Amino acid sequence: MNKFKQIAEKKRVGERLTAADALFLYEEGDFFALGKLAAEINRKLNGDTVFYNINRHINPTNICVNQCRFCAYSKLKGEEGAYEQCIDDILSEVKEAETLGIREFHIVGGLHPDWPFAYYLELLQGLKKEHPDIVIKAFTAVEIDYFAKISGLDIPAVFKSLQAAGLQAMPGGGAEILDTTVRNQICPEKISGSRWLKIMEMAHQAAIPTNATMLYGHIESYADRIDHMEKLRTLQDKTGGFQVFIPLAFHATNTDIRKKGETSGIDDLKTLAIARLYLDNFQHIKAYWVMLGEKIAQLALIFGVNDLDGTVVKERITHAAGAKSATGLSEDYIRNAIIKAGRKPVERDTFYNPVEEGLHD
Ligand code: V47
Ligand code: SF4
């Protein structure tokens, strides 16, 4: 039996893939066979359903004390293009949220040098007061670590305060590539990979479900990507607290990482398919259309993916780095993309519960 067939057989009997299997799939796996296998495994886990979410991104500031080399979004205080929003500005920007059917606020931003922890608590309290039914998914592990530093609280106490203010889930950003050597080159000021994992573990212990990402297509090797997924898989075995894995395709424009062009569509689809096969303890794999572009994200639906993220409304981070996708999509656009891929669109909440099924049939 050739190696690909052995791997397919392993998956069909529910055996876990090794790092060597994943490396083979990257280096020598037939592209179409890989996609087909990932789609078959996804179908067993999730049937025909493709989830999407009516969400809105909120990015309170791009001012950041870190200077990650891949980040085109962050600015130093006083630099041209730096912005900061007061709570009232944010509340007025999202005041139509219910009318628009928004179910989730996704909040991430820079590590502001002067804002107190109280700003973030008041922001969540303000949003919850005005929009009690909209779920707040906010702050990466990097921000949580920073809140502990600026408040003098320990991580469990930071979570407790944020939960009391309205935090219900966390996004998966800040993971980048967890390996130390790569991390030291692309984001030397950022918390370490092991600290990122530890904070996620503590979030899960505090009953906060989180997502997990991987920034790929810069200086890392395939082995680094597989090591990253291995670390996530190990923590997921322990806590079960990750909801979804989201590979993020690197965009180079305006960053300090010199690269010609973006990731290839082939690499994007292979990475999503390998993630579906390798991360056997993750229920969901998300194609983030903002970074992939709408059409590669649609193709991902036949490469093992079952989630397209959502409407987003106003994306800033990837567009600062040259993304050519829309900054937001309508629900109709997302549903049509899913239907045209031969799958069934289902609106979900932040926790992957279907909402109002049948409303659109
Ligand atoms: O952590 C920064 C990445 C992340 C670039 O959890 C870049 O549902 C590409 O994590 N090119 C933030 N990527 C975004 C994020 C996210 C997005 C959507 C959904 C979810 C979720 C999470 O964006 C950062 C970093 O890894 N990023 N700069 C860039 N030039
Ligand atoms: Fe700051 Fe996040 Fe950009 Fe790094 S990726 S510079 S932590 S905003």
Side-chain angles (χ1 to χ4, degrees):
M1 217 189 318
N2 73 28
K3 177 84 178 154
F4 186 85
K5 281 198 175 139
Q6 275 175 15
I7 292 175
E9 211 32 54
K10 266 191 179 179
K11 284 305 301 178
R12 291 188 179 118
V13 299
E15 221 180 285
R16 184 158 263 197
L17 297 193
T18 63
D21 293 332
L23 193 60
F24 171 85
L25 292 174
Y26 261 124
E27 289 178 340
E28 293 172 59
D30 176 85
F31 180 66
F32 290 112
L34 170 62
K36 222 170 150 191
L37 180 63
E40 176 191 326
I41 297 303
N42 172 57
R43 189 171 293 272
K44 273 194 201 158
L45 282 168
N46 298 304
D48 242 358
T49 295
V50 175
F51 284 122
Y52 67 94
N53 184 217
I54 314 279
N55 59 354
R56 193 191 202 289
H57 283 201
I58 296 174
N59 307 115
T61 182
N62 63 351
I63 299 176
C64 187
V65 298
N66 284 356
Q67 288 173 288
C68 302
R69 309 304 184 256
F70 55 79
C71 180
Y73 167 71
S74 76
K75 300 277 177 216
L76 293 170
K77 207 176 156 187
E79 193 180 336
E80 201 190 324
Y83 75 85
E84 45 191 26
Q85 291 185 292
C86 67
I87 293 171
D88 283 346
D89 282 352
I90 295 175
L91 292 178
S92 100
E93 209 176 84
V94 304
K95 69 174 183 303
E96 306 295 342
E98 273 81 10
T99 324
L100 297 167
I102 305 286
R103 289 186 192 278
E104 173 190 287
F105 291 130
H106 165 115
I107 313 172
V108 293
L111 311 179
H112 195 286
D114 310 324
W115 284 358
F117 184 42
Y119 168 92
Y120 302 93
L121 297 176
E122 282 162 28
L123 172 61
L124 300 195
Q125 283 155 357
L127 287 167
K128 264 294 164 207
K129 185 158 174 255
E130 295 198 8
H131 310 279
D133 296 331
I134 299 182
V135 171
I136 297 184
K137 181 184 91 192
F139 310 130
T140 66
V142 178
E143 291 167 282
I144 299 295
D145 180 75
Y146 189 65
F147 296 161
K149 281 204 183 93
I150 60 176
S151 66
L153 298 171
D154 61 16
I155 300 289
V158 167
F159 281 138
K160 228 172 169 181
S161 310
L162 290 169
Q163 283 173 298
L167 181 84
Q168 291 160 283
M170 278 170 62
E176 324 313 356
I177 286 286
L178 292 166
D179 171 75
T180 308
T181 311
V182 175
R183 219 173 167 82
N184 285 343
Q185 291 175 70
I186 63 169
C187 49
E189 302 93 6
K190 197 166 242 172
I191 57 168
S192 67
S194 55
R195 181 73 176 154
W196 186 93
L197 288 163
K198 189 70 208 163
I199 290 174
M200 285 310 202
E201 185 177 346
M202 288 192 269
H204 300 166
Q205 281 160 354
I208 302 168
T210 78
N211 298 344
T213 60
M214 171 177 78
L215 181 68
Y216 69 97
H218 41 89
I219 62 162
E220 86 294 353
S221 64
Y222 289 150
D224 294 325
R225 295 184 195 178
I226 296 162
D227 170 74
H228 182 98
M229 289 192 268
E230 172 74 33
K231 289 180 161 99
L232 295 177
R233 193 170 74 173
T234 303
L235 180 54
Q236 180 74 331
D237 277 343
K238 197 167 165 190
T239 66
F242 287 122
Q243 305 205 94
V244 58
F245 178 64
I246 318 159
L248 302 174
F250 174 57
H251 285 59
T253 307
N254 303 325
T255 75
D256 289 337
I257 297 178
R258 300 271 162 257
K259 269 203 77 186
K260 279 205 189 92
E262 310 299 345
T263 59
S264 73
I266 307 278
D267 192 19
D268 294 333
L269 293 173
K270 268 176 133 175
T271 300
L272 288 157
I274 292 168
R276 177 57 291 158
L277 299 176
Y278 199 69
L279 295 174
D280 50 17
N281 52 6
F282 278 64
Q283 183 76 28
H284 308 290
I285 304 290
K286 183 192 283 189
Y288 185 41
W289 60 263
V290 170
M291 293 194 190
L292 296 168
E294 295 84 339
K295 291 190 177 179
I296 293 287
Q298 185 188 36
L299 277 173
L301 302 182
I302 54 171
F303 273 71
V305 160
N306 73 312
D307 184 13
L308 272 191
D309 199 87
T311 46
V312 176
V313 182
K314 193 170 178 181
E315 204 283 334
R316 290 181 169 112
I317 298 172
T318 329
H319 285 81
K324 292 172 197 78
S325 55
T327 57
L329 289 178
S330 68
E331 181 179 11
D332 273 356
Y333 184 101
I334 297 174
R335 293 184 67 84
N336 272 327
I338 297 169
I339 290 166
K340 284 182 181 157
R343 308 278 294 284
K344 181 175 177 244
V346 175
E347 186 189 345
R348 63 163 173 83
D349 67 11
T350 303
F351 312 104
Y352 287 82
N353 302 304
V355 287
E356 294 184 48
E357 255 203 280
L359 189 73
H360 306 273
D361 292 345

